[in-house]
Amino acid sequence: MRLDRLPGSRGAALNLGLQGGGAHGAFTWGVLDALLEHGRWDVHALSGSSAGALNAVMLAQGLRQGGPDAARELLQRFWTGLAACMPATWVSQTGEDLGLGAPLRMALQWAQWLSPYQFNPLDLNPLRDLLADLVDFECLRDPRAPRLYIGATHAGSGRLKLFRNAELSLQALLASTCLPNVHHAVEIDGQPYWDGGFSANPPLMPLVFEQGCADTVLVLLSPLDLGPAPRSAEGIRSRMLELAFNGPLVRELQLLREARRQLAGSVWPCGRLPRRLARARLHCIDAGEALQELDGHSRMVIHLGFFQRLRDHGREQAQRWMREHGPALGHRSSMPDD
């Protein structure tokens, strides 16, 4: 793909791997907004699951339609629209603190005992109409659009299903965001799919092996280093969720590092894939402690004020990363332990 055919193309290319995490994906909105505002790099390819997939699609479509400014506008329209399509009673507010409203807490309690086929038999999903209104799938299938790798999990095997540009559809996006305790499995070609975060969060390997661009920036909603082992019951439960949330990416990074270690013994890498592996450079923007301090249920808080707070934090983290690690792009990895 020729990057100079993208509207607003300006500089060196990079790939983006965007982690999912429900409402916390608004942090990624802020990161992307700051990167687009800075305008120093061109986005070559994106991967994502769940909320990461939605951010990736909005960014790719906006870039194809009108460049960085259009991408920033579409991201804002998505997150603002998402907040508007959820009932206000789903969120409770005490001062500046936001939490789950009584109806949503009750729904989550039902989800422990009833399947979505019982308490949500019509599979109501406000996200469906919002995506149908905002996403232009023909635009995303255009060969000049940034390359996309959208992850979903096959509910029968746990295997990753990647939807590339040509395969993207409304059903594919709903599959990538399908929480199995809330929504029916999404069927595509007769196969059931759940949230992509169970199998790749975000998909990393296609960015390394299928793209000629060497620099990949991971935008993470949970740090890879979670700190000392917790001792309280609540802390242990929270850590178990974080490990499950990060597990797919940790495994991909381990495989990548082991493959590069094996390759280091070669005098000269032979073949396209070994050469891409040898020259791959990884970078990371993570949310730091701010999201770690939030309750796990905050991933379900659909509220514009909450989204905007996370967006502002994402912008700050991205600006800090650009000052400290931006110069490494095109030259070396800046991700710890890479």
Side-chain angles (χ1 to χ4, degrees), residues 122-134:
L122 299 179
D123 197 25
L124 300 177
N125 185 353
L127 185 61
R128 182 183 289 111
D129 291 339
L130 178 63
L131 293 177
D133 181 55
L134 290 181

Side-chain angles (χ1 to χ4, degrees), residues 51-79:
L54 302 179
N55 278 317
V57 164
M58 300 302 158
L59 177 60
Q61 178 176 315
L63 287 175
R64 178 67 202 116
Q65 290 178 329
D69 289 342
R72 294 179 69 192
E73 180 183 354
L74 189 55
L75 282 162
Q76 179 171 339
R77 286 179 61 196
F78 168 72
W79 286 98

Side-chain angles (χ1 to χ4, degrees), residues 15 204-211 213 216 256 276-277 280 282:
N15 303 319
L204 174 59
M205 294 305 183
L207 297 178
V208 173
F209 289 113
E210 295 189 23
Q211 296 300 321
C213 175
T216 294
L256 186 60
R276 285 185 175 177
L277 179 61
L282 296 182

Side-chain angles (χ1 to χ4, degrees), residues 285-316:
I285 304 173
D286 71 45
E289 297 180 356
L291 294 189
Q292 278 187 289
E293 295 173 354
L294 295 175
D295 183 274
H297 285 147
S298 64
R299 294 190 179 99
M300 303 287 288
V301 174
I302 309 300
H303 184 276
L304 184 58
F306 184 55
F307 291 165
Q308 290 171 334
R309 279 163 43 193
L310 295 181
R311 176 204 60 193
D312 293 345
H313 180 58
R315 283 182 53 83
E316 292 171 3

Side-chain angles (χ1 to χ4, degrees), residues 22-42:
H24 291 184
F27 168 84
T28 303
W29 168 27
V31 169
L32 300 178
D33 188 70
L35 293 177
L36 291 165
E37 181 182 49
H38 193 265
R40 179 177 171 183
W41 304 290
D42 290 317

